[in-house]
Amino acid sequence: MAKTFKPGKGYSRKDWDAVADNPALTKEQMSKAMPFADALPELAASIRRGRGPNKAPTKKLVSLRLSGQVIEKYKAGGPGWQSRIDQDLRRINKIK
């Protein structure tokens, strides 16, 4: 059964068309396949590394429940919405 293109999955129709006619791998080919970390160790290490600890942590991770309207309003402003919430709370509470 052939898979079909589905928009909004992180790739374009052009990307899909470029690889859509690739044949399925055989059991023999699969047996020779290397794990990603073995095939591309530097790339795998960079992905695993992530952000890492802060040198001088100034913020604390908390779980906070906010109304959907508040989250939508901040997210509508684009990236950095969490920092804007922090700035607004600091301003309201007169924290420098």
Side-chain angles (χ1 to χ4, degrees):
M1 181 172 117
K3 293 185 179 182
T4 58
F5 173 73
K6 294 178 184 162
K9 296 288 184 179
Y11 47 83
S12 68
R13 179 66 189 210
K14 184 178 177 182
D15 295 333
W16 177 265
D17 290 341
V19 298
D21 61 347
N22 287 351
L25 296 176
T26 65
K27 287 185 179 183
E28 181 183 354
Q29 290 170 320
M30 287 299 291
S31 70
K32 294 177 183 177
M34 295 175 65
F36 175 73
D38 292 347
L40 301 165
E42 295 85 15
L43 180 57
S46 72
I47 292 170
R48 260 192 315 272
R49 218 178 357 252
R51 182 175 177 167
N54 293 334
K55 291 180 183 175
T58 58
K59 296 183 180 181
K60 299 199 182 281
L61 179 64
V62 298
S63 177
L64 178 66
R65 293 186 183 271
L66 301 170
S67 71
Q69 295 93 337
V70 169
I71 298 298
E72 288 173 19
K73 179 72 173 178
Y74 278 94
K75 282 188 172 184
W81 63 273
Q82 293 156 315
S83 295
R84 286 193 299 279
I85 292 173
D86 182 64
Q87 290 169 353
D88 288 351
L89 290 171
R90 291 168 67 84
R91 188 184 74 249
I92 291 168
N93 291 289
K94 298 182 174 104
I95 301 169
K96 292 185 178 186

